[in-house]
Amino acid sequence: MRQWRRWLDGMAVAILLAYGWLAWSVQTGVAPIDPVYAAVRERGVLRVAVDPGYRPFVEERNGEFVGFDIDLVRALAGELGVEVIFVRSGFDALYDQLVSRQADLIASALPYAPEQGFRARFSQPYFDGGFMLVAPAGSSITGLPDLHGRRLGVVLGSEGDALARRFALTTPVTLVEAEDATALERALRAGAIDAAILDHVAALGAVANGDLRIAAALTYEPYVLAMPAAAFQLEAEINRALARLAARGVLVELQRQWMARGN
């Protein structure tokens, strides 16, 4: 019992000291230390964990990593005034790279995962990986309700297929299944279907020629960058850098570069 009381007393003292340090830092203007960001500044290098299996975000060509996320991270590192090195990882091990301090950042088409908040913190979203409704440029379709009695194309077995089937339970629509997004594009251009459900990457590639357009966003899947849970200052710096890049049109340009066909 005495040991337990000593432990509680010790914890109380530690908490009081922590609150005292916080109050002192607020009054004196001395910011708490983010050990991750401090190490990045000391090294002059941002270590980024990537899984090269997510084209067009990250892939390996001729022994080098390329892709949307690779160019984005390089632009962010330039904003922070540091170099960048990439740490190869499998997708399932990405968060482990943060916990083991082998990496300072994850950039691999990473969906926002609040359940990982106990070991990571996240940037503002930089891309929406959700599903889009794509229609011909001259079509009057602006959303799923406009498909009443029309033909809707889906990729067989995809999440878009499941979304369309739920919609078809309440609205008369003819579902046309295809093996991939390219087949749906051909069907749209040939007039065989009135609209198609595509993931955002495929949709951006489909509309690049100007004869098709994104009629509506159907789901939202934010892609984010992840940092160790202690990296509160790095998170703030990354978010500020993302905002600057977005304001200069860099994110839109990266979408044009990497989501177009042939990349």
Side-chain angles (χ1 to χ4, degrees):
M1 180 64 71
R2 290 181 179 176
Q3 290 181 345
W4 176 249
R5 286 179 179 173
R6 287 197 195 99
W7 184 85
L8 288 177
D9 290 342
M11 288 298 295
V13 170
I15 291 171
L16 287 173
L17 288 173
Y19 276 116
W21 164 251
L22 180 60
W24 178 82
S25 65
V26 170
Q27 291 175 1
T28 61
V30 177
I33 297 174
D34 168 357
V36 179
Y37 185 65
V40 169
R41 301 304 307 179
E42 182 178 359
R43 289 191 308 266
V45 174
L46 181 69
R47 303 168 304 171
V48 182
V50 296
D51 175 4
Y54 287 85
R55 186 175 186 267
F57 291 92
V58 184
E59 63 175 310
E60 190 170 9
R61 296 182 187 172
N62 301 319
E64 293 187 1
F65 294 124
V66 298
F68 181 103
D69 282 350
I70 301 301
D71 285 354
L72 174 61
V73 166
R74 287 193 171 119
L76 288 171
E79 292 291 311
L80 270 58
V82 297
E83 301 296 324
V84 60
I85 62 172
F86 296 101
V87 180
R88 178 190 293 272
S89 175
F91 190 82
D92 292 339
L94 284 171
Y95 286 101
D96 294 334
Q97 301 281 6
L98 296 183
V99 174
S100 63
R101 298 297 172 89
Q102 300 300 305
D104 311 303
L105 194 74
I106 297 173
S108 270
L110 189 73
Y112 174 56
E115 69 276 9
Q116 296 289 348
F118 71 98
R119 58 177 177 169
R121 59 177 61 231
F122 303 95
S123 72
Q124 295 296 318
Y126 65 89
F127 184 79
D128 175 11
F131 282 93
M132 306 289 151
L133 185 67
V134 177
S139 170
S140 61
I141 294 172
T142 59
L144 287 177
D146 296 328
L147 293 172
H148 188 283
R150 299 194 184 188
R151 301 157 299 175
L152 174 61
V154 295
V155 175
L156 179 64
S158 68
E159 293 181 23
D161 188 359
L163 174 64
R165 290 181 182 278
R166 291 193 296 271
F167 172 69
L169 293 175
T170 58
T171 304
V173 61
T174 300
L175 296 183
V176 179
E177 297 175 327
E179 291 297 323
D180 54 37
T182 302
L184 290 179
E185 288 182 45
R186 289 196 297 265
L188 277 170
R189 292 187 171 98
I193 56 177
D194 300 294
I197 296 179
L198 300 174
D199 68 73
H200 197 185
V201 173
L204 288 171
V207 304
N209 291 335
D211 56 341
L212 302 176
R213 64 180 175 84
I214 295 177
L218 303 179
T219 64
Y220 179 56
E221 185 177 15
Y223 286 2
V224 295
L225 305 168
M227 291 140 279
F232 64 92
Q233 190 174 359
L234 178 60
E235 176 194 15
E237 295 294 337
I238 289 291
N239 282 336
R240 282 192 283 266
L242 278 172
R244 292 194 295 269
L245 294 177
R248 298 204 300 267
V250 174
L251 299 186
V252 172
E253 182 56 35
L254 288 178
Q255 286 185 16
R256 291 196 187 102
Q257 177 183 349
W258 289 105
M259 310 302 172
R261 289 288 182 266
N263 287 325

